[in-house]
Amino acid sequence: MGDEELAKDLGLVSAMMIGIGTMVGAGIFVLPGIAAREAGPIVVLSFVIGGMIAMINALAVSELGTAMPKAGGGYYYINRALGPMFGSVSGMGDWMGLAFASAFYCIGFGGYLTGLFDGTALALPTLDLGLFVLQDIQIGGLIAGVIFIGVNYIGAKETGGIQTIIVSSLLVILAVFSFSGLFYFDWGTVITDGSVAPLGTTEILPGTALVFVSFLGYAKIATVAEELKNPGRNLPIAIIGSVGIVTVIYAIIVGLMVGIVPYDQLSEEVPVSQVSEITFGALPTLGAGPLSLSLSAIGVTGITVAALLATASSANASILSSARINFAMGRDKIVTDWLNEIHPEYATPYRSIALTGGMIILFIVALGQDLKILSSAASVLHLIVYGLMNVALITFREADVPGYDPDFRVPFYPITPVLGLLLSFGLVWFMDAEVIALSMAFVVAALLWYLFYARGETTEDGVLSQYILERSEEMPDAAVSAAEAASPDETRPYRVMVPLANPRTEGTLLDLASTIAQERENGIVHAVHIVQVPDQTPLNRGAEQLDRIDSESEKQLQRARERIAETDVEIETSTILSHRSFEEIFDAARQFKADKVVMGWGGGRPWSAGRAERPIDELTHDLPCDFLVLKDRDFDPSKILIPTAGGPDSDLSAEIARTLRSAVGSEISLLHVVDGEDEREAGEQFLANWAADHGFGDAVLRVDDSGDVEGAIADAAEDHTLVLLGATERGLLSRLVNRSLTFEVVDTVDASVILAERPSDRSLFQRLFGRQ
Amino acid sequence: MHEDTFDRVLVPIASEQDAESTCEALLEYLPENGAQVHVVHVIEKAGGAPDKASVSQREERAERIFEHCRSVLGETAISLETEILYGTSVAETLLDHAQSIDASAVVFTPRGASRWVKLLTGSVTENLLTGTDRPIVVLPQED
């Protein structure tokens, strides 16, 4: 067996047990009493509707889970699809939802613990601490909480068998319970005032909202999806299967309960114990005297033990999966990695467990007197996540993401996910206003967290915003700006790429590049050695020759590193073998996501020969980033001339001039050429404005009215050391490559020349169907 | 001790904190040339129940552990190999691996753990000592 399989040791049965074990605890043992009092006997229907809503969402989880069997479940899918803003909301929602659910399960456990010890020496007290009162059930819940948190913190060894044994014995006990219940079931008890819905059918959906917490467990299977064997098959079966099974169990058992005890008399804390006292009450006592064995007492105690096991496994699974969500969030930098440190001895994510545990304890103490708040808050937060998960699914399908290849696909797309979205958000509507407000407070907190913390840390953008931003021309403006606003801050490095071919001028280029990079806090220089190889030489030659090229290239790049090491700018290096060096620069700029390319021209650089496989026009009309092309003649940036006629390319020249001015204190002159004496005044006005707009208040302004652009530049260049020439028209670079540059001046002046060109912002339509 | 004991050692490392000190302690005992060091980290699996920590979370930690080891042993003449192992019993997984690479010895620094923690988590050291079919070398722990 390979390591891969060893790491994945959850089979179908184990996965199903996680789902059933997490769900069944709450639905059967805690909620029926409260829910029946609210909805009447028709609460059975509330459970069934809850199961149907869960099932529709389970389909979505199955598709997303088989496409991405990763730790983190819902959070992971939403963050990938919708980006880190919704990622933060879903991660926080899932996490807090689990904390609320765990507190709820602990209180459930506490209820049965109190019941078990009631009347014995171990009976739990009610503590009056002055400011607030801790009821006995809360104390039971706290005991449970501390134990479950401790078990997960220390990582007490738990083996697969135990989980399966616990859940199987639970199911057996429930089957016995149901069987015994059949004999006591009475339609007369169900029907009150001649109806199964004495409180009205309008109570069904609020009932569903209340009991929905009983269906939260299936998503836990997705949070441990990375550990599943054959997830493509087992994940959907386990998720859909466990939802189906618990829905049937709930319908049967809750149906029996309201047929045994009138709905308004069901215990709010320990309904199953109450019912079992009736159904097991007539069981005979074997033997007599002190050695007598009361089967009825055994039955009732058995049910109580089952309840403890069920609520314990629910709480345990929830605490455990909250740590998975923290880990997934930490990986995307939405929370700090500190939280996800693994304990050196216990090998557990102890900080994450401790933090989650702290919140569980807080919720038990602060809100534990009202089970309904805990369960509803857990439901609302999970429903928000489920709703978003359906949006994520639609996004993945519509954006046609490469690599999104689920083994299971939801039937009736897009109806199913749309329905899942509507039902999830719709069910929130039936929750109590205070619970919705409490949950919304967490959502707002998550948004603030994103804006003030995560946005600056995370770099991962979602499929949705990429989809919108890539189609910014076709999408409504509001969608584009929303997508931009929600995207993470640019924390990736500001990359100044320097294609190197000729060691003669690389020093100058690297200096220029590092000066530009230094301007930015996160600027780095990326030296790319482009090794031109003859066309007839295949690129995948023998290793020996490759090694030779690599070591030669390494030598040149080492020189680059040494040069940069004198500054405090970081440097990265790459070597590229190429037949077509000019195009290669464009490809490399795209591949490395360069922000600026600083390249040399002439001097025997292969790309100066203008060879390319694609038409140069097409290439240069779609620049991947800003390009600066240096024609070096003893580079000296002390006196800079910027000829300008406005436009984005001279903005770029201005930016570079400002960088050089702040780095070496360059003197700057601006030149504007007009066609005659009568335009001079307007020209002066234009230049003064341009100078002021671009921060050149102190520059020397020159307006030339000869109308001869090249002559004027050549004249002015006489007393300057560097000409910074922005393309006044599109495609300057392409004409440079074609040797059809109208500015012959580049070749005739004595000063060094930098040609600056910004990517064209022509629309996709223009790019495809015509030129500007 | 026989010279060959340190020829091909299996070095299990459990935590990032242990990695550098274990490797440094090891350096003092390894022969000058030709020693092979196999550093492994065992990811303990529950074998059918969800683990307490995500597998990929622990794989990332293992890579950081290996990185620490490379920083100590990388500059020496020692040939270093690293591997992540998975198993439900740490000791058993280690001993199986020692057999498969024909290790000359299993070398580690003991980890302190209180008695009740050992009771709950099981003592790897004890299981290693009782189950081994080759030399086990315990390096002194530096303070």
Side-chain angles (χ1 to χ4, degrees), chain A residues 204-220:
Chain A
I204 297 177
L205 288 177
T208 300
L210 177 60
V211 301
F212 194 73
V213 72
S214 331
F215 294 97
L216 299 185
Y218 64 88
K220 312 292 170 292

Side-chain angles (χ1 to χ4, degrees), chain A residues 393-405:
Chain A
L393 189 147
I394 295 170
T395 305
F396 277 120
R397 289 263 193 125
E398 292 306 312
D400 201 15
V401 180
Y404 181 76
D405 187 20

Side-chain angles (χ1 to χ4, degrees), chain A residues 309-328:
Chain A
L309 288 177
T311 43
S313 77
S314 299
N316 191 42
S318 302
I319 295 171
L320 192 137
S321 54
S322 71
R324 295 289 205 283
I325 292 162
N326 277 175
F327 163 62

